[in-house]
Amino acid sequence: MFTKISARYVLGSDGKQHTLIEDGEVVFQGDSIVFVGRGYDGPVDEERDYGQSLIMPGLIDLDALADIDHLILDSWAAPDVAAGHLWSEDYFANRRRDVFTRAERAKVREFALAQLALHGVTTYMPIASEIHSSWAESLDELVDMTETSLRIGLRGYLGPAYRSGVHVTTAAGAREVHFDEAEGLAALRDAERFLDYAASLADPLVTGVLLPCRIETLSEGLMRETARIARERDALVRLHCLQSPLEDDLLKRSAGRRVLELLETTGLFGTRLLIPHGVVINGKDPGALAPGGPLDLLARHNVSIVHCPLTSFRYQKQLVSFDRFRSAGVNLCLGTDSFPPDLIRGMDVGMHLARMLEERPDAGKLADYFDAATLGGARALGRADLGRIAPGMQADITVASLGNFGDGVIEDPLRTLVLNGTARQVTDTFVAGRPVVVGGALPGIDLGALRAEGQRLFDQMRAAYSERDGQLREPDELFPPTYPPSRVAAPAAGL
């Protein structure tokens, strides 16, 4: 079947870069694009005109929130309260449990994937908090998530997160990583079994990947095993590291080496490696580019950095800098990592952070950020058929409205969307030619009911922090409100 979509603006491609087509048309047959331009005169079975909208390549989120939320809870706490957000030693040793049942976890995933889809993401690699699990993600919950992802219609690069250690607040108030190597190896076996499961589906929308947790929560043995499996299976690896000075301190205690040394000696640099977030590297330091320097190593080993500007900003961090990494030859892609899963807002924040760091108004170009959200993501995945709207590419497409009065006047359609708007202006998406978001809704999903269930599960998740806190403080102590609740008495009955 031939489907033709049109809009006031289309971001096509000349094979080297995105190009803007006014009053443009895109035609796809099945899962592949067959025409981009104006004046198509071939067969059409279905036609949709989106009017004052921008048709653009589907957004690729490689650190995509697959959880109810965590950043609004933990990005602003004072140090004494923040320590209570981790597991206590007693919880680690005696009381750890799953906060959610399998069915509840599946609903959490549905809530999160619906949010990704509605924010214009067509391809994703998930990230969720393990703090609510008895250890790490299980094979069963990733199988459930895969089924939900396929039902919604997203393109997922999936695998259970695994680790051999967990951050713990000691009785003395220190932060340490406590290890359970047996749990780590069992979780890695689940991750390997998921690779087999994903391959058995033979579905182009599901690819199995290896998703170890933060590097300081991995034993050296688990890193080596991850690298071995990745090489044998040609599997992508995403490993959170280079995001905090604390990593090196903890790794020197557990492994006697720092992050970059361990990536080299464990063989992880020899895999298809993606790293969120890279914010501890100072790209303005000339030594970063010198032979053996961090940017030189990342570029030489073809590592992709998953830049999450909005989340980094909320944690008082930034990439130093987007332009320096890019000019060093490091592939940059984008992620959201937390709520909202809004890559449009992420681009906006990232651009402004780059300008502040470089102290010039032309730093952090929008074209470079949009390339990261499309072409850079495709490059990280090894998918030459994603990230562009051009004949022969997969029909992964995002449509954003520019027709609301609140959008203001249109100067440049993409710049107007990023500077004036958000990803909530997305009205429609296609993945492999299949409609996923239609008129701002997800067919077959009752968003009102899902939101209500998501709120219930969030409240359950928030309450569970108390049992992990060493002082067993109530949720309102761990997460105090912006303003205290009113003491105004309720009206008497009958009045």
Side-chain angles (χ1 to χ4, degrees):
M1 186 175 82
F2 288 87
T3 301
K4 173 184 170 183
I5 62 175
S6 56
R8 179 70 181 88
Y9 305 103
V10 171
L11 276 182
S13 173
D14 64 6
K16 295 181 179 179
Q17 63 182 346
H18 299 303
T19 58
L20 181 64
I21 305 167
E22 297 194 17
D23 299 315
E25 302 166 350
V26 179
V27 181
F28 48 92
Q29 181 185 25
D31 64 356
S32 298
I33 296 169
V34 297
F35 176 87
V36 184
R38 285 192 291 263
Y40 174 77
D41 60 2
V44 174
D45 299 295
E46 183 179 6
E47 185 169 355
R48 305 181 191 190
D49 182 5
Y50 293 107
Q52 189 78 345
S53 295
L54 172 64
I55 295 174
M56 56 189 178
L59 300 176
I60 300 174
D61 185 345
L62 297 184
D63 207 31
L65 184 69
D67 213 329
I68 286 290
D69 188 85
H70 60 278
L71 185 141
I72 61 171
L73 288 178
D74 67 9
S75 64
W76 48 271
D80 63 322
V81 174
H85 297 170
L86 303 177
W87 288 13
S88 67
E89 289 180 293
D90 176 55
Y91 187 83
F92 170 87
N94 303 309
R95 297 186 291 107
R96 59 188 194 233
R97 70 175 183 91
D98 291 325
V99 171
F100 298 120
T101 65
R102 179 174 175 177
E104 288 172 333
R105 174 60 72 183
K107 187 59 67 173
V108 166
R109 304 296 197 190
E110 183 181 13
F111 180 93
L113 297 189
Q115 293 285 357
L116 290 174
L118 291 168
H119 282 82
V121 171
T122 56
T123 296
Y124 73 101
M125 190 179 285
I127 175 69
S129 175
E130 303 85 17
I131 198 169
H132 316 298
S133 301
S134 58
W135 190 254
E137 294 176 339
S138 69
L139 176 63
D140 287 343
E141 65 184 273
L142 261 293
V143 168
D144 293 344
M145 182 178 176
T146 300
E147 293 172 355
T148 301
S149 184
L150 288 172
R151 174 163 52 85
I152 292 174
L154 294 174
R155 191 184 299 277
Y157 284 75
L158 308 175
Y162 56 92
R163 61 184 177 179
S164 48
V166 61
H167 284 258
V168 167
T169 298
T170 68
R175 183 167 179 159
E176 298 178 350
V177 175
H178 288 197
F179 288 88
D180 187 329
E181 188 68 1
E183 288 275 20
L185 290 173
L188 178 59
R189 297 287 84 85
D190 264 5
E192 197 168 10
R193 284 192 288 271
F194 184 85
L195 294 179
D196 294 330
Y197 164 77
S200 73
L201 293 177
D203 192 304
L205 296 187
V206 177
T207 302
V209 296
L210 294 170
L211 302 179
C213 299
R214 299 170 58 142
I215 191 169
E216 72 274 17
T217 66
L218 307 180
S219 67
E220 187 171 353
L222 204 63
M223 292 185 222
R224 291 185 185 278
E225 272 294 280
T226 296
R228 180 189 65 79
I229 294 167
R231 288 193 301 271
E232 288 180 358
R233 294 173 173 259
D234 192 30
L236 290 163
V237 179
R238 191 196 63 201
L239 173 59
H240 282 72
C241 62
L242 300 172
Q243 63 177 336
S244 168
L246 181 64
E247 294 168 344
D248 278 344
D249 293 339
L250 293 170
L251 286 169
K252 280 189 287 185
R253 291 184 225 166
S254 64
R257 274 161 289 173
R258 302 182 181 192
V259 172
L260 292 173
E261 295 174 272
L262 279 166
L263 293 177
E264 188 80 67
T265 59
T266 60
L268 285 166
F269 264 152
T271 67
R272 300 166 61 199
L273 183 62
L274 289 71
I275 294 179
H277 300 266
V279 294
V280 300
I281 296 173
N282 181 6
K284 300 176 81 170
D285 178 358
L289 284 168
L295 291 184
D296 170 67
L297 285 172
L298 295 178
R300 187 150 38 89
H301 289 291
N302 298 312
V303 173
S304 292
I305 289 290
V306 186
H307 180 31
C308 305
L310 184 58
T311 296
S312 294
F313 181 51
R314 288 180 171 178
Y315 283 114
Q316 308 90 53
K317 298 176 182 177
Q318 62 259 330
L319 195 66
V320 185
S321 74
F322 183 87
D323 290 359
R324 306 281 174 142
F325 276 66
R326 189 172 177 276
S327 63
V330 177
N331 182 51
L332 289 164
C333 39
L334 293 190
T336 49
D337 189 39
S338 59
F339 199 87
D342 190 329
L343 288 173
I344 300 300
R345 285 180 67 182
M347 290 181 218
D348 187 26
V349 169
M351 289 162 53
H352 294 305
L353 284 173
R355 291 167 186 166
M356 291 174 65
L357 285 163
E358 297 293 344
E359 298 181 314
R360 52 187 178 85
D362 61 339
K365 289 183 171 59
L366 174 54
D368 295 337
Y369 266 91
F370 191 78
D371 283 354
T374 51
L375 300 171
R379 195 175 300 117
L381 298 173
R383 293 293 299 266
D385 59 343
L386 298 180
R388 300 187 281 141
I389 296 181
M393 299 296 104
Q394 283 285 292
D396 288 14
I397 296 166
T398 295
V399 183
S401 171
L402 296 171
N404 189 285
F405 183 79
D407 299 329
V409 297
I410 297 175
E411 178 259 338
D412 168 277
L414 184 60
R415 195 155 46 229
T416 298
L417 174 64
V418 172
L419 295 182
N420 290 7
T422 75
R424 294 182 189 178
Q425 290 166 234
V426 168
T427 61
D428 295 78
T429 68
F430 298 84
V431 177
R434 171 191 164 185
V436 174
V437 178
V438 179
L442 287 169
I445 295 182
D446 182 340
L447 293 178
L450 183 57
R451 186 175 189 273
E453 182 66 359
Q455 184 67 54
R456 183 187 73 80
L457 292 169
F458 175 81
D459 294 342
Q460 180 176 320
M461 179 197 78
R462 181 177 180 270
Y465 275 88
S466 295
E467 66 187 87
R468 293 190 294 268
D469 175 31
Q471 301 177 45
L472 303 178
R473 285 169 285 188
E474 292 297 317
D476 284 348
E477 291 182 78
L478 292 172
F479 311 108
T482 303
Y483 292 109
S486 171
R487 289 191 168 88
V488 174
L495 296 182

